[in-house]
Amino acid sequence: MILDGKGLADRRLEALKGKIKESGINPTLATVLIGDDPASALYVRMKHRACEQVGIRSVNVQLPGDVSTSEVLDRLKTLNEDPDIDGILVQLPLPAQIDTHQVINAVNPAKDVDGYHPVNMGKLVGGLPGPRSCTPKGIMTILNEYGIETSGAHAVVIGRSVDVGKPMALLLMLADATVTVCHSKTKDLPSITKQADILISAAGKADMVTADMVKPGATVIDVGTNHVNGKLRGDVDFEAVSSIAGAITPVPGGVGPMTIASLMENTLEAARSRCKPAE
Ligand code: GUN
């Protein structure tokens, strides 16, 4: 079975458009794009296009590639204090001279639609409500919508990044999976991945998950967005693995569109929370 993230994302966006209309609120998302990396610029454009599709107002703050950390922090302060802005997304990765931790920490947690702020990460660890990182959230939506059982399943996550691997493992634990996290120093990776009922690869290495690493019938989720000879390739050797897996996401058209749909959902949620009177 092909897990059609694009089709699912389109349906979620359509539903969200209706919810936004009904809500009577006009959510606004601010993106911050630093430098001129073509992939980052493309992702930000896609996010703005999705905003337009669902009725979210969006603004982009474009900063030069040689900007300093303190200049970025100043811009974030303005966005944090702007009552018209509900959500803030700083497109990562940032240029080398910028302190990414300081930047993430400077986003108002109530406007943190990426769920990267330590306060929101802490809520995730504690199982408390809060914005969840968009890619792991989108993957949980795929699993739920396709009826893939997480309770009691052995989920193996390849990658331990703050934006995907770690929040993914935590969300799977909250969904009662038994979770193993693997990474670049893991010994005998195939012996572990072969045990997975759900295998999630966020390694960032094209075609590294091969058929001999997958248990027959497993669900395989490919987070990879690797650019090889001008083409987008996932982490998974799709041709070989799709004949063994029970279900698999393609690249493109799998996890990527669900990341954007989750961002739109988080933006509406941030706007809703901010509209609520303080308790
Ligand atoms: N870069 C790649 N994916 C993402 C994402 O989901 N959020 C942000 N802020 N940057 C990214």
Side-chain angles (χ1 to χ4, degrees):
M1 175 169 56
I2 305 291
L3 303 170
D4 176 18
K6 175 76 175 76
L8 178 56
D10 285 343
R11 292 195 293 282
R12 303 280 296 192
L13 291 177
E14 205 47 45
L16 195 64
K17 186 178 175 177
K19 273 191 210 166
I20 291 172
K21 233 184 194 162
E22 259 172 43
S23 73
I25 48 181
N26 298 306
T28 300
L29 173 68
T31 57
V32 178
L33 179 58
I34 304 174
D36 54 6
D37 174 59
S40 289
L42 174 65
Y43 293 139
V44 168
R45 277 202 303 278
M46 287 163 78
K47 289 165 186 177
H48 284 266
R49 215 175 295 146
C51 284
E52 208 172 301
Q53 204 180 327
V54 299
I56 291 176
R57 192 173 77 91
S58 64
V59 293
N60 181 47
V61 175
Q62 174 71 55
L63 298 174
D66 61 356
V67 73
S68 68
T69 300
S70 69
E71 283 172 276
V72 178
L73 298 185
D74 283 347
R75 296 305 285 259
L76 287 173
K77 187 167 184 289
T78 307
L79 293 171
N80 284 341
E81 289 169 358
D82 185 340
D84 291 335
I85 302 290
D86 297 296
I88 301 171
L89 175 140
V90 181
Q91 185 66 27
L92 303 179
L94 300 179
Q97 83 276 9
I98 294 177
D99 183 334
T100 301
H101 287 295
Q102 271 201 60
V103 168
I104 288 172
N105 288 358
V107 174
N108 176 352
K111 297 189 177 188
D112 171 32
V113 285
D114 263 324
Y116 292 165
H117 191 282
V119 163
N120 292 324
M121 283 289 180
K123 287 181 176 174
L124 171 58
V125 172
L128 299 170
R132 306 302 196 214
S133 305
C134 300
T135 297
K137 176 177 171 153
I139 291 169
M140 293 310 292
T141 304
I142 293 176
L143 297 175
N144 286 333
E145 291 284 329
Y146 276 93
I148 292 160
E149 183 70 86
T150 52
S151 179
H154 186 187
V156 174
V157 180
I158 308 176
R160 55 177 158 175
S161 67
V162 172
D163 55 335
V164 182
K166 281 183 188 131
M168 187 75 252
L170 289 160
L171 281 177
L172 286 162
M173 272 191 268
L174 287 175
D176 297 326
T178 301
V179 182
T180 304
V181 179
C182 301
H183 46 77
S184 53
K185 301 287 189 292
T186 296
K187 287 181 182 149
D188 195 6
L189 181 65
S191 74
I192 301 171
T193 57
K194 262 189 107 67
Q195 296 173 34
D197 302 308
I198 299 170
L199 177 60
I200 298 179
S201 183
K205 230 168 136 187
D207 295 331
M208 70 155 276
V209 176
T210 48
D212 57 311
M213 294 168 69
V214 177
K215 179 162 83 172
T219 296
V220 179
I221 306 286
D222 190 348
V223 186
T225 51
N226 308 294
H227 297 272
V228 181
N229 302 327
K231 278 201 168 157
L232 187 62
R233 295 287 300 183
D235 287 350
V236 178
D237 177 0
F238 183 87
E239 289 74 22
V241 173
S242 57
S243 64
I244 286 184
I248 184 168
T249 58
V251 175
V255 172
M258 287 304 297
T259 296
I260 294 182
S262 301
L263 172 66
M264 299 299 112
E265 291 170 356
N266 283 356
T267 304
L268 173 60
E269 202 42 54
R272 274 205 166 123
S273 305
R274 280 167 31 76
C275 279
K276 278 186 206 147
E279 284 172 24

